[in-house]
Amino acid sequence: ETDIHYFLTPPPAASLVHRGDDPVSLELHSPVTYARIDSDIRNQQMNALLMEIPAGISLPVVHREVGEDFFYVLEGTVDTTIGEKEFTLGAGDSVHINTQLDHSIVNSGKTTARLIWVGTPPILPSS
């Protein structure tokens, strides 16, 4: 007669919300700043980050055998290379990539670019 919640307790609703004035920053010793905007839920299927890429900074080429990456540009301009093709993305533009395709991003603009990244499968440890 034990309640199932004794064994499986869902996360409290408050832990599922991230407030903009209280970022969960990742310390990666990188010129790019990363803040987690996902939540720590069981069987998490994706991660989400707010990224700030300073002018002149390139992200490394990404290739994963399984997964998807989605980038949405909030501010600034970035150039992305997907395979052999290059695209310039500005505020409001997005790109959705199968991670088996080599892809990279560079901020060749004069100001910091802000992007949202969402990716599968999750690559960050649970918080």
Side-chain angles (χ1 to χ4, degrees):
E1 293 187 31
T2 303
D3 186 312
I4 188 70
H5 293 294
Y6 176 81
F7 300 104
L8 302 171
T9 304
S15 72
L16 303 176
V17 174
H18 283 272
R19 300 289 180 195
D21 61 354
D22 189 22
V24 179
S25 297
L26 297 177
E27 298 299 326
L28 299 178
H29 307 292
S30 167
V32 178
T33 60
Y34 300 90
R36 287 189 78 157
I37 55 175
D38 57 5
S39 296
D40 189 15
I41 60 174
R42 277 195 195 96
N43 300 315
Q44 189 165 339
Q45 301 296 305
M46 65 178 204
N47 286 130
L49 297 172
L50 175 62
M51 304 168 57
E52 292 188 357
I53 307 170
I57 297 297
S58 298
L59 298 177
V61 174
V62 172
H63 178 100
R64 294 191 310 275
E65 288 303 317
V66 176
E68 298 176 55
D69 283 342
F70 175 84
F71 295 91
Y72 180 85
V73 181
L74 296 168
E75 295 175 15
T77 302
V78 295
D79 296 318
T80 183
T81 302
I82 305 168
E84 300 295 320
K85 295 187 178 181
E86 292 188 25
F87 304 91
T88 298
L89 304 175
D93 293 338
S94 63
V95 61
H96 185 179
I97 307 162
N98 178 315
T99 58
Q100 291 178 340
L101 295 171
D102 290 353
H103 58 285
S104 62
I105 290 181
V106 59
N107 181 353
S108 55
K110 297 183 189 310
T111 62
T112 296
R114 295 181 71 230
L115 290 80
I116 291 176
W117 168 81
V118 178
T120 65
I123 59 173
L124 300 171
S126 298
S127 50

